[in-house]
C-alpha cells in the first residue's frame, strides 16, 4: 500500500505568510495533480499554540534566526507562525483537500518543536502518524510539501527509520534555505538515508 503525505502546505509557509518559503505556491498545482495517483492521502499541519517556544517573540531579547536551548534541545527561533485556528495555519486555499483521509497535527506542545510529522524534535512523543499508516497497511510513502530543509526532511528521515520506503517528489517541495545550499544538503541527507528522489512523471 502506498500513500501520499503532504507536509505543512499552510498559508504561513506560502509567499505572503509569516514564514514564507520562496515559491511555496508553485507546489500547489503539482501536489494537486499528484493526489490523483493515490488512494490514501495524509496531510500534516504545523499547529502551534500562541506563545510557542519556537517563536522568537516568546523569548524577550531574542530575534528570529537566533539559536537557543529549549528544554534541552537546540532550537532555531522562528517568526510566530501556524498558530492554531489562525488563517496562517489553514491549508493554502488552492490545495485540493477533499481527498485527505487524515490530518496529523504537530508542534502542539509549547515546550518542544516538531519538524517531523512522526515525532517531536526530541523523539519524546509520537503524533499518531506511524500508528495510522500501519493500520492502513502503508509500506511506501510519497512525500511532498514545505519545507524541504525542515519539516519535509525530518519527516522523510523518520519515515525511513520507522521502516517505510520513502520517495520525495522533488518538484512538489520547496525549502526555506536559511543558508545557501540547505535544500541541496537536505536532498543529499535524505538520499543517503535511503530516500528515492523522484519526479511525478516516474510515479
Ligand atoms: C517548519 C520551521 C518551523 C516547516 C515548521 O514546516 O518546515 N519550519 N516550523
Ligand atoms: Zn513550526
Amino acid at each position: 500500500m502506498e500513500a501520499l503525505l503532504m507536509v505543512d502546505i499552510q498559508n504561513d509557509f506560502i509567499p505572503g505568510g509569516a514564514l514564507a518559503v520562496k515559491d511555496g505556491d508553485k507546489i500547489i498545482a503539482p501536489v494537486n495533480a499528484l493526489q490523483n495517483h493515490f488512494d490514501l492521502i495524509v496531510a500534516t499541519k504545523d499547529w502551534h499554540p500562541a506563545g510557542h517556544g519556537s517563536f522568537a517573540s516568546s523569548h524577550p531579547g531574542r530575534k528570529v534566526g537566533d539559536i537557543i536551548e529549549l528544554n534541552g534541545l537546540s532550537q532555531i527561533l522562528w517568526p510566530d507562525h501556524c498558530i492554531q485556528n489562525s488563517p496562517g495555519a489553514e491549508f493554502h486555499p488552492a490545495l485540493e483537500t477533499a481527498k485527505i483521509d487524515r490530518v496529523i497535527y504537530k508542534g502542539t506542545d509549547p515546550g518542544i518543536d516538531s519538524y517531523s510529522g512522526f515525532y517531536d524534535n526530541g523523539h519524546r512523543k509520537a503524533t499518531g502518524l506511524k500508528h495510522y499508516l500501519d493500520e492502513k497497511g502503508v509500506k511506501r510513502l510519497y512525500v511532498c510539501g514545505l519545507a524541504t530543509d525542515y519539516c519535509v526532511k525530518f519527516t522523510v528521515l523518520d519515515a525511513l527509520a520507522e521502516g517505510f520506503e520513502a520517495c520525495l517528489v522533488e518538484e512538489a517541495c520547496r525549502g526555506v534555505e536559511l543558508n545557501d545550499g540547505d535544500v541541496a544538503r537536505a536532498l543529499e541527507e535524505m538520499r543517503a538515508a535511503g530516500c528515492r528522489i523522484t519526479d511525478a512523471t516516474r510515479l
Side-chain angles (χ1 to χ4, degrees), residues 8 13 19 46 48 78 81 106 113 115 146-147 150-151:
D8 298 4
F13 297 122
L19 211 174
D46 210 32
H48 299 307
W78 302 105
H81 65 280
K106 63 185 183 63
D113 211 352
Y115 295 146
L146 307 168
Y150 287 94
C151 291

Side-chain angles (χ1 to χ4, degrees), residues 5-185:
L5 181 59
M6 308 192 297
V7 176
D8 298 4
I9 308 182
Q10 295 164 272
N11 289 324
D12 273 338
F13 297 122
I14 304 287
L19 211 174
V21 174
K22 185 171 173 277
D23 293 335
D25 50 332
K26 301 227 167 99
I27 73 165
I28 305 297
V31 168
N32 285 344
L34 258 182
Q35 294 191 46
N36 297 320
H37 297 269
F38 293 89
D39 295 327
L40 189 74
I41 300 177
V42 182
T44 62
K45 271 192 170 181
D46 210 32
W47 195 248
H48 299 307
H52 191 264
S54 72
F55 298 168
S57 65
S58 305
H59 305 277
R62 297 293 187 164
K63 59 183 194 314
V64 169
D66 284 357
I67 296 175
I68 64 158
E69 197 180 293
L70 183 63
N71 296 314
L73 295 176
S74 174
Q75 174 69 51
I76 305 177
L77 294 179
W78 302 105
D80 290 19
H81 65 280
C82 295
I83 293 175
Q84 296 173 1
N85 302 303
S86 71
E90 291 302 308
F91 288 125
H92 184 282
L95 180 71
E96 169 80 66
T97 57
K99 290 181 281 191
I100 296 174
D101 294 285
R102 173 64 77 90
V103 179
I104 298 286
Y105 296 89
K106 63 185 183 63
T108 56
D109 180 335
I112 191 164
D113 211 352
S114 187
Y115 295 146
S116 161
F118 289 91
Y119 296 97
D120 61 57
N121 290 0
H123 270 239
R124 292 170 190 165
K125 279 199 195 123
T127 59
L129 178 56
K130 155 94 171 136
H131 180 84
Y132 180 75
L133 296 173
D134 284 347
E135 200 175 77
K136 296 288 179 187
V138 173
K139 302 288 180 221
R140 179 185 293 155
L141 272 181
Y142 285 82
V143 184
C144 61
L146 307 168
T148 318
D149 38 359
Y150 287 94
C151 291
V152 170
K153 178 181 94 170
F154 286 100
T155 298
V156 163
L157 295 178
D158 275 351
L160 292 163
E162 294 291 354
F164 296 100
E165 282 178 46
C167 303
L168 186 84
V169 187
E170 192 177 351
E171 78 272 23
C173 301
R174 288 293 187 283
V176 177
E177 191 95 344
L178 271 186
N179 312 293
D180 271 356
D182 279 354
V183 168
R185 278 188 291 274

